[in-house]
Amino acid sequence: MENTHTLKKRMTSRHIAMIALGGAIGAGLFKGSASAIESAGPAVLVAYFLGGLVLFFVMKSLEQLILSSENPHGLSGLVQPYLGARAADFTDWVYWSLWMINIIAEAVAAASFLQLWFAQVPTWIFVLIIAALTSLINLFSVTFFAETEYWLAFIKISVIILLILFGLFLVAQMVFHTNLVTALSGLTAHGGFAPHGFKGVMNSLLIVIYSYGGSELIAITVSETENPKKAIPKAIRGVIGRIISFYIVPMFLLLLIYSWQTLAASSMSPFVMVFNKMHLPFASDLVNFIIVLALFSSINSGIYASSRLLFFRLKQRSSRLSGHIAKLNRKQVPQRAVLFCSGTLYIGVVLSYFLGDRLFNYLAGSLSYTVLLVWFLISLAGFLLALKKRVWSAKSMSLGAMLALVLIFIGILLTNPIGVTLFTGALYLIILFSYRRSKPADEL
């Protein structure tokens, strides 16, 4: 008889690979890449490469933690043997808060893009529709969620591949009419390769790391993946190269086709600029639609991740309220946890009505801290595991990731408004001191 108290293992490596890709390829690439280019100029390529290297090290640590875990469930189940119960609890709740903040911010962002077509429709109506759709997708079954995310990621990746093909065609035209040296000269012709120096690269790296954030979501799927110790490492190994390629190659082509100042100053997405140059009809509408899909995908993944984290944490508590929320429906989906997390969207709409942009400036500013912190804790657990196993290569990668993340953290600390830093610090302290000892973890 099937156990109705545990999550159902229905995801395959095909789903996992696309979920990881979809988590890291979002509106940050389609819209936010212009901000990274503005900060660093052509040297943004270095930032994307360094960020990709850090991501690679973090994901390798995650892979080793999954392979070494006897009963993985959420991030806490992976890091607890090495960091202890309190740090594991802290990791899960911090990661939960990241997705709670993210789905509110991205739902309002998606609504703003939809208003370009339907200017008379209030923001809250769009957020209500998004909340209803993502709740239904997550409540139906884990298979339905995985398939939805697979096809959303497929659409995003198809558009990136289309951009690469168009970019290669336009660059080939440039080389044909001039020569290769002239085509490449655009990388250094406008103030040099790094017009804003090392500080510019560091500032863009903050945007890049945030853009790559979401790849670690793969760890949350462990409890619902068929043969996770085989499927997830396979997905990690295949995804890393594709994530870096889908950022670096498009950026390189864009910087050859346009000067970095043109890309940075334009109010439209760099993707729209390339599609317009190819005389593609309705280019701005097409990219606007893809950005909305990217945001919807991120919100959908956010509700999945946050509901599972909530389920993992509350299932280990003995209170009546915790037991009430941490229940599975007949499809073995944590229905009440899904509804609780998607309900955050409605709270966000109410708060945004009264507080406006001030709320979301604080929330969005704290996300970069949380991505770094979660990556650091994964790397630290991976380092301690490598130390225990005496694996020098894994130990070096984890240590390299931690050092890089500390340097980037210092960069964020110097550039983020003090109010955002204080808000984030207060949030972390609340999570840290609200720790309650859990009952022994059973099979989740």
Side-chain angles (χ1 to χ4, degrees):
M1 182 182 291
E2 192 168 40
N3 190 347
T4 57
H5 299 288
T6 60
L7 296 171
K8 192 178 289 186
K9 293 183 178 292
R10 288 291 177 86
M11 292 196 201
T12 64
S13 56
R14 174 177 72 95
H15 295 131
I16 302 304
M18 280 301 203
I19 287 169
L21 276 170
I25 299 172
L29 172 61
F30 295 107
K31 187 72 175 173
S33 51
S35 299
I37 293 169
E38 183 180 11
S39 296
V44 73
L45 295 171
V46 176
Y48 276 112
F49 175 76
L50 292 175
L53 201 60
V54 174
L55 173 64
F56 174 75
F57 291 162
V58 172
M59 296 297 275
K60 290 302 286 184
S61 291
L62 194 59
E63 179 184 338
Q64 292 307 310
L65 290 170
I66 290 168
L67 289 173
S68 301
S69 178
E70 293 180 6
N71 182 30
H73 53 274
L75 286 172
S76 60
L78 298 175
V79 304
Q80 183 166 336
Y82 314 101
L83 303 183
R86 191 184 193 110
D89 179 84
F90 178 76
T91 303
D92 264 359
W93 284 119
V94 163
Y95 197 52
W96 181 79
S97 73
L98 179 148
W99 282 110
M100 287 289 90
I101 291 168
N102 197 55
I103 63 175
I104 295 172
E106 297 212 339
V108 174
S112 71
F113 281 108
L114 286 166
Q115 282 179 320
L116 294 175
W117 292 318
F118 309 102
Q120 304 305 315
V121 181
T123 300
W124 68 269
I125 290 181
F126 287 125
V127 176
L128 181 66
I129 293 168
I130 290 166
L133 285 174
T134 50
S135 296
L136 286 171
I137 289 168
N138 277 276
L139 287 171
F140 191 73
S141 73
V142 69
T143 310
F144 187 64
F145 160 78
E147 282 295 328
T148 304
E149 277 302 297
Y150 177 90
W151 289 108
L152 287 172
F154 181 83
I155 293 168
K156 288 187 285 186
I157 290 165
S158 298
V159 172
I160 298 168
I161 291 171
L162 199 60
L163 173 80
I164 291 171
L165 292 174
F166 287 165
L168 287 169
F169 174 77
L170 292 170
V171 170
Q173 271 192 330
M174 289 169 59
V175 173
F176 180 76
H177 288 106
T178 56
N179 55 62
L180 182 60
V181 175
T182 304
L184 292 173
S185 66
L187 294 175
T188 56
H190 306 279
F193 182 71
H196 303 306
F198 177 76
K199 184 181 178 182
V201 175
M202 180 57 71
N203 288 340
S204 68
L205 198 54
L206 310 183
I207 302 166
V208 169
I209 291 292
Y210 173 69
S211 297
Y212 284 157
S215 306
E216 69 293 324
L217 171 63
I218 206 167
I220 310 301
T221 67
V222 171
S223 297
E224 294 173 279
T225 302
E226 297 172 2
N227 195 359
K229 292 192 177 184
K230 181 180 178 182
I232 291 182
K234 180 184 175 183
I236 288 173
R237 287 191 292 270
V239 160
I240 291 168
R242 277 172 271 175
I243 287 174
I244 297 169
S245 299
F246 288 152
Y247 275 93
I248 294 176
V249 174
M251 286 302 107
F252 177 67
L253 294 171
L254 284 168
L255 288 163
L256 291 180
I257 297 164
Y258 295 99
S259 70
W260 71 267
Q261 293 103 322
T262 304
L263 292 169
S266 176
S267 59
M268 67 176 70
S269 164
F271 278 63
V272 174
M273 295 170 70
V274 171
F275 289 175
N276 279 338
K277 205 173 182 72
M278 291 293 296
H279 305 294
L280 196 71
F282 310 110
S284 58
D285 287 331
L286 174 64
V287 175
N288 192 54
F289 176 69
I290 297 302
I291 290 171
V292 171
L293 281 185
L295 289 164
F296 182 83
S297 170
S298 181
I299 296 162
N300 197 37
S301 293
I303 290 174
Y304 169 81
S306 56
S307 63
R308 269 49 178 188
L309 287 165
L310 191 63
F311 172 77
F312 295 143
R313 296 320 308 165
L314 297 185
K315 194 173 188 296
Q316 296 182 50
R317 294 190 174 183
S318 54
S319 71
R320 182 176 294 180
L321 178 62
S322 297
H324 181 73
I325 297 174
K327 272 192 173 180
L328 301 176
N329 63 13
R330 59 188 179 85
K331 295 182 184 293
Q332 290 171 258
V333 170
Q335 176 180 339
R336 291 167 182 170
V338 167
L339 292 172
F340 181 90
C341 294
S342 61
T344 308
L345 288 171
Y346 311 118
I347 297 169
V349 175
V350 174
L351 289 174
S352 67
Y353 179 81
F354 291 106
L355 298 175
D357 291 337
R358 286 177 297 159
L359 170 70
F360 294 102
N361 290 339
Y362 272 65
L363 295 184
S366 72
L367 289 175
S368 52
Y369 281 122
T370 308
V371 171
L372 285 176
L373 180 58
V374 169
W375 283 16
F376 184 86
L377 291 168
I378 291 170
S379 300
L380 179 58
F383 176 74
L384 294 174
L385 169 62
L387 209 61
K388 181 181 176 183
K389 289 188 168 184
R390 298 180 180 178
V391 181
W392 186 87
S393 58
K395 188 165 59 174
S396 301
M397 283 194 286
S398 299
L399 188 60
M402 286 191 289
L403 289 172
L405 291 168
V406 168
L407 290 174
I408 297 166
F409 171 80
I410 294 168
I412 293 180
L413 203 60
L414 296 174
T415 55
N416 247 345
I418 186 67
V420 173
T421 302
L422 292 174
F423 168 82
T424 309
L427 178 66
Y428 292 167
L429 286 173
I430 291 169
I431 292 171
L432 192 63
F433 288 114
S434 63
Y435 169 71
R436 290 166 54 191
R437 190 178 296 277
S438 301
K439 65 185 179 183
D442 49 3
E443 188 181 348
L444 297 176

